[in-house]
């Protein structure tokens, strides 16, 4: 069930280009699945008329807390990143459909993230671990400065890294990491820039691996009314905010 709620900012960590924010609500949180998102109202920003869609990074239902990992890319996200401790932020959540969790705890799963696309994979990794699986993260960035909070991901599962300049982990793109040659995975979950996700899809298709991706199409309403986030699928044009953002790659016309 969707909920419109005010959240208080209780902790933050600024990483330069990105910021980690932890919020708490006085209300009990609705059930939230990894891969779902929320819409944030940006108060005090005259040029930000619409709510901004943000992936849900983490959830603590016991304490009514959610965490966001936000990249400062525009006025809206920069304004959100400037939120001070104790200030209130209004959110609509949860929106969209999340990742499909395996039924078999013996399946090998790989979570591939690029840039700020690593954000929803954190909560997904926690949910997979709770089901008894051992998630492996493959996280990529242009430089080591693009890869943040790696120590938190390592608490959940093994973390593999690529950087385009070779400053951390293996040099190259996530699709060039040696794990693709050395390991065989049953399921691959992806989030990041579209070119990266398409490249990972090509690898999974070639190796007949089940794959889900979380699309980051531009959104406005978050409810499937404005039609600005439409993606072409085998069933026809589909609103990413309502039918996604997570899709099995077999549905996409990539």
């Amino acid at each position: 069930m969707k909920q419109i709620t005010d959240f208080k900012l209780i902790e933050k960590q600024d990483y330069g280009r990105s910021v980690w924010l932890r919020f708490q609500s006085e209300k009990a949180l609705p059930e939230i699945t990894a891969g779902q998102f929320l819409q944030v109202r940006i108060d005090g920003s005259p040029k930000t008329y619409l709510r901004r869609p943000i992936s849900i990074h983490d959830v603590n239902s016991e304490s009514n807390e959610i965490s966001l990992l936000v990249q400062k890319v525009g006025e809206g996200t920069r304004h959100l990143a400037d939120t001070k401790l104790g200030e209130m932020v209004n959110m609509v959540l949860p929106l969209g459909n999340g990742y499909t969790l395996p039924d078999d705890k013996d399946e090998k799963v790989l979570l591939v993230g690029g840039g700020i696309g690593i954000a929803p994979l954190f909560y997904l990794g926690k949910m997979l671990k709770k089901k008894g699986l051992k998630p492996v993260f493959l996280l990529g960035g242009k430089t080591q400065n693009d890869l943040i909070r790696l120590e938190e991901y390592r608490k959940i599962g093994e973390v593999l890294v690529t950087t385009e300049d070779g400053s951390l982990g293996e040099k190259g793109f996530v699709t060039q990491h040696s794990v693709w040659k050395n390991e065989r995975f049953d399921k691959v979950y992806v989030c990041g820039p579209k070119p990266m996700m398409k490249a990972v899809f090509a690898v999974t298709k070639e190796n007949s691996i089940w794959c889900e991706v979380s699309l980051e199409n531009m959104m406005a309403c978050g409810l499937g009314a404005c039609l600005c986030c439409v993606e072409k699928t085998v069933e026809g044009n589909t609103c990413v905010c309502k039918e996604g953002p997570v899709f099995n790659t077999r549905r996409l016309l990539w």
Side-chain angles (χ1 to χ4, degrees):
M1 180 179 293
K2 296 178 182 63
Q3 186 181 98
I4 302 176
T5 305
D6 287 325
F7 284 84
K8 179 189 290 186
L9 181 63
I10 60 174
E11 187 178 2
K12 69 184 294 186
Q13 180 67 51
D14 198 309
Y15 294 94
R17 292 178 57 193
S18 304
V19 62
W20 173 77
L21 306 165
R22 183 161 65 95
F23 296 90
Q24 187 174 46
S25 171
E26 294 183 354
K27 294 182 180 179
L29 296 179
E31 183 177 353
I32 300 173
T33 300
Q36 290 184 298
F37 67 100
L38 50 78
Q39 292 270 78
V40 181
R41 191 179 70 202
I42 308 295
D43 295 327
S45 176
K47 295 182 180 179
T48 310
Y49 303 106
L50 302 172
R51 290 177 182 264
R52 290 295 184 262
I54 307 289
S55 297
I56 296 173
H57 178 61
D58 194 17
V59 179
N60 186 331
S61 297
E62 294 182 0
S63 56
N64 303 327
E65 294 176 6
I66 60 165
S67 297
L68 307 179
L69 193 57
V70 180
Q71 191 172 47
K72 306 169 190 177
V73 294
E75 181 170 336
T77 49
R78 285 195 294 267
H79 199 86
L80 177 62
D82 288 337
T83 303
K84 294 179 174 58
L85 295 178
E87 290 185 340
M88 306 297 289
V89 176
N90 186 268
M91 307 181 192
V92 181
L93 79 165
L95 298 171
N97 296 298
Y99 291 102
T100 305
L101 301 182
D103 293 322
D104 185 354
K105 65 181 181 63
D106 293 323
E107 286 192 307
K108 295 187 66 174
V109 294
L110 180 67
L111 285 60
V112 185
I116 202 63
I118 72 174
L121 300 182
F122 185 81
Y123 186 41
L124 173 60
K126 288 180 65 174
M127 295 188 73
L128 291 169
K129 184 177 181 179
K130 187 176 181 180
K131 287 178 67 69
L133 289 95
K134 299 178 180 179
V136 176
F137 295 97
L138 174 55
L139 309 178
K142 290 185 177 181
T143 74
Q144 61 181 345
N145 295 328
D146 295 318
L147 297 168
I148 58 178
R149 300 184 62 79
L150 295 183
E151 69 283 357
E152 297 300 323
Y153 286 81
R154 292 191 180 104
K155 294 176 183 178
I156 301 172
E158 181 182 1
V159 176
L160 308 174
V161 169
T162 66
T163 49
E164 293 179 29
D165 67 352
S167 56
L168 186 66
E170 295 189 14
K171 184 176 182 179
F173 303 115
V174 289
T175 50
Q176 297 170 322
H177 196 282
S178 57
V179 71
W180 295 104
K181 297 179 180 178
N182 300 331
E183 300 285 345
R184 170 72 187 185
F185 293 94
D186 299 297
K187 285 183 168 59
V188 174
Y189 301 91
V190 195
C191 186
K194 200 167 213 178
M196 184 216 78
M197 292 196 291
K198 285 187 174 182
V200 174
F201 161 64
V203 174
T204 59
K205 183 179 181 181
E206 181 180 353
N207 293 278
S208 301
I209 304 174
W210 182 100
C211 180
E212 280 188 344
V213 297
S214 179
L215 301 185
E216 296 183 328
N217 296 31
M218 184 176 292
M219 299 179 189
C221 71
L223 302 170
C226 67
L227 304 180
C228 75
C229 64
V230 166
E231 181 76 19
K232 293 181 179 179
T233 71
V234 294
E235 299 100 355
N237 290 339
T238 298
C239 287
V240 169
C241 67
K242 188 174 182 180
E243 299 299 324
V246 177
F247 290 87
N248 191 292
T249 50
R250 290 173 297 187
R251 295 183 59 194
L252 300 174
L253 294 178
W254 285 2

